[in-house]
């Protein structure tokens, strides 16, 4: 067996607070480190998750309870550290975990190896309102965004941005479970914007309204990278979404490693502006009118499809973090553009087609077959439940007032009383109402990137 590049004496602990059984990024991290000979401990809800069947998992640990406080998360991680019995590389796999680890850095440092992040960088970039200001500072394009101060202003600004508009909660990790609120939604009328604003207290953070950039061929891009202790983006690359689920609005079902100097330049400029250290996952959408790449999200952790960017030496962002934090040299980066990544349950036909330039599947692997089998069993049950739910809905008699509504465009609401700078959106510029575009359900975004 060839000698591992990684220091196999140092274990890794993967933290996932969000309870998502179909998160293939966690499985990718387990396999990446496990194949290199590292003991991998997973702190996540494992009931019904294919990840628990992977032969590369050393031990599963229960996650913090739902709605956990920082002290709850610290207690959980310190219990795991006591069981592991030696310092480990800690890698959060979701935004909530990355933010918690950043806040708890001083308490966790004796037990874990962590990037030297300045200040509260993970919280700043995960907060959608902070991201607007950050992009302005770094001179990186970002969709025109306003933050309304009232329900009336929300209705007014939705109209002025040009319907439909994107509505986002600035701190989506605070959304209460079972509320029905989504981190991102498409708003089709001023009334919808007004009603959404009225749920601000329930959401726990501010509502943002953002100009809608239409999807299209070669418009959705992403960048995954690792910024080392010196602040250099030594590992990673840019990729295109060839297929999304749901189409045009969701996670990457099929992605291709495609070099894009402009996207990389934006990523490096953001890292330099922030002083970010560690793993990053950025989402961009190219504007059809200007050709500019607008940053949509900055995730301070591995993206679900990070294994796409595995170079000729087998290094990816997760291995890069382990190497860097254990003071092992990062090998010279050897890109493999043209490589593809496929999530089989969202793009089964693509997964079956032959390829000549290298491909990685999210679930199936020849050296770790159990998670792929478990996924298909769980996915079949999941799809069956969804179909039965829809059939029951079709068979039930509609209550009075629940029938289809005909909505006619009303006159525009009064102008905003604030002086927020806005511009007309595509629908307003053309003088017509934009078509309604259905947003993804939480269920459809089960493998959120």
């Amino acid at each position: 067996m060839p000698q591992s590049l990684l220091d196999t004496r140092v274990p890794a602990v993967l933290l996932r607070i969000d309870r998502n059984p179909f998160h293939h990024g966690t499985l990718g991290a387990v396999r990446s480190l496990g194949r290199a000979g590292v003991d991998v401990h997973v702190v996540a809800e494992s009931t019904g998750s294919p990840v628990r069947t992977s032969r590369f998992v050393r031990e599963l640990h229960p996650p913090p309870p739902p709605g956990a406080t920082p002290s709850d998360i610290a207690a959980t991680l310190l219990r795991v550290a006591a069981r592991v019995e030696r310092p480990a590389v800690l890698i959060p796999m979701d935004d909530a975990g990355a933010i918690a680890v950043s806040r708890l850095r001083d308490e966790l440092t004796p037990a874990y190896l962590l990037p030297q992040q300045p200040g509260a960088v993970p919280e700043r970039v995960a907060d959608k309102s902070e991201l607007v200001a950050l992009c302005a500072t770094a001179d990186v394009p970002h969709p025109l965004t306003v933050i309304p101060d009232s329900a009336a202003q929300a209705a007014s600004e939705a109209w002025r941005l040009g319907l439909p508009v994107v509505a986002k909660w600035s701190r989506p990790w605070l959304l209460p479970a079972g509320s029905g609120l989504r981190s991102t939604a498409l708003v089709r009328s001023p009334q919808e914007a007004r009603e959404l604003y009225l749920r601000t207290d329930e959401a726990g953070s501010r509502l943002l309204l953002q100009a809608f950039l239409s999807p299209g061929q070669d418009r959705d891009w992403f960048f995954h990278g690792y910024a080392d202790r010196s602040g250099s983006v030594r590992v990673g690359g840019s990729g295109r979404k060839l297929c999304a689920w749901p189409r045009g609005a969701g996670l990457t079902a099929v992605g291709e490693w495609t070099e894009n100097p402009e996207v990389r330049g934006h990523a490096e400029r953001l890292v330099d502006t922030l002083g970010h250290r560690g793993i990053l996952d950025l989402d961009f959408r190219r504007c059809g009118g200007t050709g500019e790449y607008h940053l949509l999200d900055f995730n301070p952790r591995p993206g679900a499809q990070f294994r796409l960017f595995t170079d000729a030496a087998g290094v990816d962002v997760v291995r890069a973090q382990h190497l860097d934090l254990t003071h092992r040299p990062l090998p010279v980066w050897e890109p493999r553009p043209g490589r593809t990544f496929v999530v089989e349950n969202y793009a089964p036909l693509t997964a079956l087609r032959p390829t000549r330039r290298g491909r990685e599947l999210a679930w199936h692997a020849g050296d770790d077959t159990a998670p792929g089998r478990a996924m298909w069993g769980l996915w079949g049950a999941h799809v069956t439940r969804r179909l039965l739910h829809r059939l029951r809905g079709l068979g039930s008699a509609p209550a009075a007032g629940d029938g289809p509504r005909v909505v006619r465009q009303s006159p525009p609401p009064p102008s905003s009383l604030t002086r927020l700078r806005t511009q007309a959106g595509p629908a307003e510029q053309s003088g017509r109402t934009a078509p309604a575009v259905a947003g993804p359900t939480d269920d459809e975004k089960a493998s959120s990137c």
Side-chain angles (χ1 to χ4, degrees):
M1 182 177 177
Q3 185 177 3
S4 175
L5 291 171
L6 279 63
D7 187 343
T8 57
R9 298 169 300 175
V10 181
V13 174
L14 307 180
L15 170 66
R16 184 163 181 84
I17 294 175
D18 180 26
R19 300 189 170 218
N20 179 359
F22 293 111
H23 189 260
H24 49 267
T26 303
L27 178 61
V30 166
R31 286 172 170 167
S32 177
L33 295 168
R35 286 169 179 153
V38 173
D39 286 345
V40 183
H41 295 255
V42 179
V43 183
E45 176 54 59
S46 60
T47 304
S49 171
V51 175
R52 71 194 311 273
T53 66
S54 173
R55 72 183 187 88
F56 295 112
V57 173
R58 175 60 183 269
E59 190 171 352
L60 291 161
H61 304 267
T69 64
S71 60
D72 293 331
I73 297 169
T76 296
L77 290 173
L78 292 175
R79 277 197 301 271
V80 173
R83 186 164 180 82
V84 174
E85 296 183 330
R86 58 193 189 276
V89 173
L90 177 59
I91 304 178
M93 297 301 299
D94 57 15
D95 289 350
I99 292 164
V101 169
S102 174
R103 291 177 177 176
L104 297 166
R105 179 179 178 79
D106 292 342
E107 194 169 348
L108 297 176
T109 295
Y112 291 102
L113 305 180
L114 302 168
Q116 295 286 336
Q117 284 280 21
V121 169
E123 191 163 357
R124 287 183 63 198
V125 298
D127 186 315
K128 311 303 181 187
S129 59
E130 292 268 0
L131 191 61
V132 177
L134 168 63
C135 286
T137 301
D139 194 26
V140 171
H142 184 277
L144 183 64
T145 302
V146 295
I147 306 175
D149 290 327
S150 67
Q153 187 186 357
S156 174
E157 297 297 350
W159 179 275
R160 293 177 63 189
L161 283 170
L163 297 168
V165 298
V166 178
K168 295 182 176 181
W169 297 106
S170 63
R171 297 188 167 199
W173 63 91
L174 297 180
L175 291 174
S179 66
L181 291 170
R182 301 177 190 169
S183 60
T184 303
L186 210 56
V187 169
R188 305 170 185 85
S189 70
Q191 183 60 25
E192 284 187 26
R194 181 192 302 274
E195 291 172 356
L196 201 56
Y197 181 89
L198 292 174
R199 302 186 70 180
T200 296
D201 290 342
E202 182 184 359
S205 64
R206 294 184 292 179
L207 179 68
L208 281 68
L209 298 177
Q210 194 173 90
F212 177 67
L213 300 179
S214 299
Q217 187 175 8
D218 292 338
R219 290 191 185 179
D220 286 317
W221 290 74
F222 46 87
F223 183 90
H224 292 205
Y226 178 77
D228 67 10
R229 283 172 287 139
S230 71
S232 299
V233 180
R234 296 275 304 280
V235 169
S238 55
R240 293 186 299 151
K241 274 188 188 181
L242 301 183
C243 176
W245 178 262
R247 184 174 297 175
L251 59 94
T252 301
V254 183
E256 180 185 73
W257 188 340
T258 306
E259 296 291 351
N260 187 320
E262 191 170 353
V263 167
R264 173 176 278 275
H266 288 333
E268 291 177 343
R269 197 154 57 250
L270 286 163
V271 167
D272 185 60
T273 300
L274 276 166
H276 176 81
R277 301 292 183 270
I279 297 170
L280 60 145
D281 163 30
L282 311 180
D283 289 318
F284 293 88
R285 177 164 286 179
R286 182 172 59 84
C287 176
T290 66
E292 291 184 318
Y293 293 89
H294 290 247
L295 181 69
L296 302 182
D297 284 304
F298 187 131
N299 303 304
R301 40 77 179 172
Q305 72 271 29
F306 80 90
R307 284 287 300 166
L308 170 63
F309 302 105
T310 304
D311 81 342
V315 176
D316 55 37
V317 295
V318 166
R319 288 190 179 185
Q321 178 155 320
H322 196 284
L323 286 165
D324 192 39
L325 297 184
T326 57
H327 295 269
R328 289 285 181 108
L330 271 68
V332 176
W333 183 243
E334 301 179 62
R336 291 196 285 170
R339 193 166 186 266
T340 58
F341 184 88
V342 181
V343 185
E344 306 95 298
N345 48 320
Y346 295 121
L349 296 180
T350 304
L352 294 173
R353 294 190 188 110
T355 180
R356 292 181 296 174
R357 305 192 70 179
R359 175 175 60 201
E360 179 145 348
L361 301 178
W363 296 104
H364 176 75
D367 61 348
D368 189 31
T369 58
R373 293 196 302 270
M375 182 279 295
W376 281 118
L378 289 166
W379 189 250
H382 169 77
V383 171
T384 300
R385 285 194 302 270
R386 292 285 298 167
L387 288 173
L388 290 174
H389 177 75
R390 290 184 181 182
L391 288 172
R392 282 195 295 267
L394 290 173
S396 59
D402 285 348
R405 293 183 302 150
V406 177
V407 180
R408 294 180 175 84
Q409 183 65 60
S410 61
S415 299
S416 170
L417 298 178
T418 69
R419 296 182 180 178
L420 287 172
R421 183 171 174 264
T422 61
Q423 65 184 31
E428 189 176 347
Q429 291 169 352
S430 64
R432 57 187 172 83
T433 302
V437 181
T441 65
D442 295 336
D443 178 65
E444 289 166 331
K445 294 188 71 175
S447 297
S448 58
C449 300

